[in-house]
Amino acid sequence: MSQLHCPKCESTDATKSGIVGGRQRYKCKNCGYHFSVAKAGKEINSYYVIKALQLYVEGVSYREIERLLGVSHVSVMNWVKKYGMKAPRQTDYHPTYKILNQKELAEFFQKPENLKEAGLIVTELGDKYMMIRWERFRQG
């Protein structure tokens, strides 16, 4: 069993202090703080959290982020709430994206017509690259 640390003072000197909600409760002998062990669960790599938040701010939908990164859209919504992220309302522009390998990305940038009349961001996505482009909505 790994050594317990008090979340308040980081002391390793704790004693058992009952069971709460089916989980063992401990009392720190140093500061008197009561705490429970962290629940065992699947922890998501911070890379995916950061990438999901970047995509959200760029205007990519929760479901689309789920498809791209393979993490639940509910997790993405929870991260957005937890970190207080807000995506600006988009009325004149809409994002589109493409997943490209390095060669395809280089070929894309070789053509000057690809770089006109749209905002463009490229972000690494595993072993590929995601290119997000904003195009202006056509006015009637």
Side-chain angles (χ1 to χ4, degrees):
M1 187 173 128
S2 65
Q3 189 76 0
L4 293 172
H5 293 275
C6 172
K8 194 168 186 179
C9 72
E10 296 295 321
S11 170
T12 58
D13 197 12
T15 61
K16 290 184 177 181
S17 182
I19 295 177
V20 176
R23 292 178 24 200
Q24 181 65 56
R25 184 175 181 207
Y26 297 91
K27 181 178 181 180
C28 176
K29 287 184 178 179
N30 186 43
C31 69
Y33 185 72
H34 285 90
F35 63 97
S36 297
V37 293
K39 77 174 181 181
K42 184 174 137 187
E43 187 171 323
I44 301 285
N45 186 322
S46 63
Y47 168 86
Y48 292 103
V49 177
I50 292 166
K51 198 57 70 177
L53 294 174
Q54 286 175 338
L55 294 174
Y56 172 76
V57 170
E58 298 302 336
V60 180
S61 73
Y62 292 128
R63 295 277 183 174
E64 201 60 32
I65 295 170
E66 177 180 46
R67 285 188 276 279
L68 290 167
L69 299 180
V71 296
S72 165
H73 66 279
V74 175
S75 292
V76 177
M77 284 189 277
N78 289 334
W79 298 333
V80 166
K81 269 192 233 173
K82 179 178 180 180
Y83 296 106
M85 303 298 291
K86 291 188 179 178
R89 278 194 64 200
Q90 299 167 349
T91 55
D92 294 338
Y93 292 89
H94 63 93
T96 58
Y97 70 89
K98 289 183 182 178
I99 306 295
L100 306 169
N101 64 33
Q102 188 173 7
K103 182 181 176 201
E104 293 166 333
L105 187 63
E107 289 170 359
F108 179 86
F109 281 114
Q110 294 295 320
K111 300 177 186 171
E113 65 271 14
N114 288 337
L115 305 177
K116 292 182 182 174
E117 297 187 22
L120 186 68
I121 187 170
V122 176
T123 185
E124 175 258 344
L125 194 63
D127 63 344
K128 300 209 185 272
Y129 297 90
M130 175 183 228
M131 182 181 63
I132 303 172
R133 183 181 178 106
W134 293 271
E135 295 175 352
R136 194 179 287 269
F137 282 118
R138 303 277 185 237
Q139 301 296 337

